[in-house]
Amino acid sequence: MKKFILITAAAVITLSASAQNLKFAHVNFNELVMLMPEADSARAQMEVSQKEAQDTYRTMVEEYQSKAQKYQQNSSTWTAAIRESKEKELADISNRIQEFDQSIQQELQQQQNELMAPIQQKAIEVVNNLAKAGGYIYVFERGSLLYIDEAQSTDLTKAARKALNIPDGRTLETLQQELQARAQMQQ
């Protein structure tokens, strides 16, 4: 019995000692993905697609408004058959607009997912490589944690930024300013 207690105590001491050598890290993954140079080109592609979608939508709405205005101006002089035909035409255009809006939103979301997937994968690979090289057993996403003890967890964000060729002065705030300036120029 004493032998069992000694073995158990030795195992507990060994586990305690090895647990103290565990290394943890954290990273701001959202920052990495948003600031990667590849994300800039993905955003540019998305802007082009969104502009094309907006132009098409606007054209469809203008067509509807033009025909609706013509209907309002002339419906009192039309026969019942012409009025019914024009009402059906307006309803068809309205349905096309709604269907286009729904489908284009899905397509734009799918395009964004497809553009961002390789960017996210690259960031994951960089973080994984840094974690393996540093001997970390876990790397946590900073945004999903309520508390991080900076003394016991290493922030890999700076090293990952360097590995991903993100300029030192570029932050989420400067990115937001760039995007706002670009939006203002387009208006």
Side-chain angles (χ1 to χ4, degrees):
M1 183 71 166
K2 284 185 179 181
K3 197 174 193 179
F4 176 73
I5 292 174
L6 286 175
I7 292 173
T8 305
V12 168
I13 291 170
T14 304
L15 286 174
S16 297
S18 66
Q20 291 176 0
N21 294 329
L22 299 178
K23 292 172 68 177
F24 299 94
H26 57 277
V27 67
N28 188 333
F29 191 75
N30 182 52
E31 175 183 323
L32 296 176
V33 171
M34 295 298 292
L35 297 179
M36 288 172 61
E38 296 91 334
D40 291 335
S41 62
R43 274 190 289 277
Q45 288 179 349
M46 284 303 301
E47 286 176 11
V48 169
S49 296
Q50 289 170 341
K51 182 169 179 359
E52 290 172 356
Q54 289 171 350
D55 291 346
T56 301
Y57 183 81
R58 188 178 314 111
T59 300
M60 294 172 80
V61 168
E62 287 171 359
E63 176 190 7
Y64 177 82
Q65 290 172 339
S66 172
K67 291 187 180 206
Q69 184 179 21
K70 185 176 180 182
Y71 175 84
Q72 288 175 347
Q73 290 172 349
N74 300 325
S75 64
S76 61
T77 62
W78 290 336
T79 65
I82 294 174
R83 241 188 339 269
E84 184 179 321
S85 172
K86 297 293 183 181
E87 288 168 0
K88 184 178 182 321
E89 183 180 7
L90 287 171
D92 289 344
I93 294 171
S94 178
N95 287 337
R96 277 196 347 251
I97 291 171
Q98 290 174 357
E99 289 170 4
F100 174 78
D101 188 42
Q102 290 172 356
S103 68
I104 199 63
Q105 294 305 323
Q106 291 172 350
E107 286 179 26
L108 289 172
Q109 183 62 48
Q110 181 179 358
Q111 180 184 16
Q112 182 174 13
N113 292 343
E114 289 171 1
L115 289 171
M116 294 306 290
I119 296 167
Q120 292 170 339
Q121 186 59 40
K122 182 177 179 181
I124 288 170
E125 289 171 8
V126 164
V127 171
N128 286 344
N129 291 338
L130 289 170
K132 287 177 186 173
Y136 299 100
I137 63 164
Y138 290 106
V139 177
F140 298 98
E141 206 303 292
R142 183 177 196 101
S144 65
L145 297 175
L146 296 176
Y147 171 75
I148 297 174
D149 184 348
E150 298 284 340
Q152 296 185 38
S153 179
T154 303
D155 188 352
L156 295 179
T157 305
K158 187 173 183 177
R161 285 175 59 104
K162 185 175 182 176
L164 293 167
N165 298 317
I166 299 171
D168 287 336
R170 191 152 198 227
T171 64
L172 292 174
E173 291 79 22
T174 60
L175 172 63
Q176 185 66 29
Q177 291 169 354
E178 290 172 22
L179 296 175
Q180 287 175 349
R182 192 177 312 150
Q184 288 175 351
M185 285 177 45
Q186 290 177 352
Q187 291 177 355

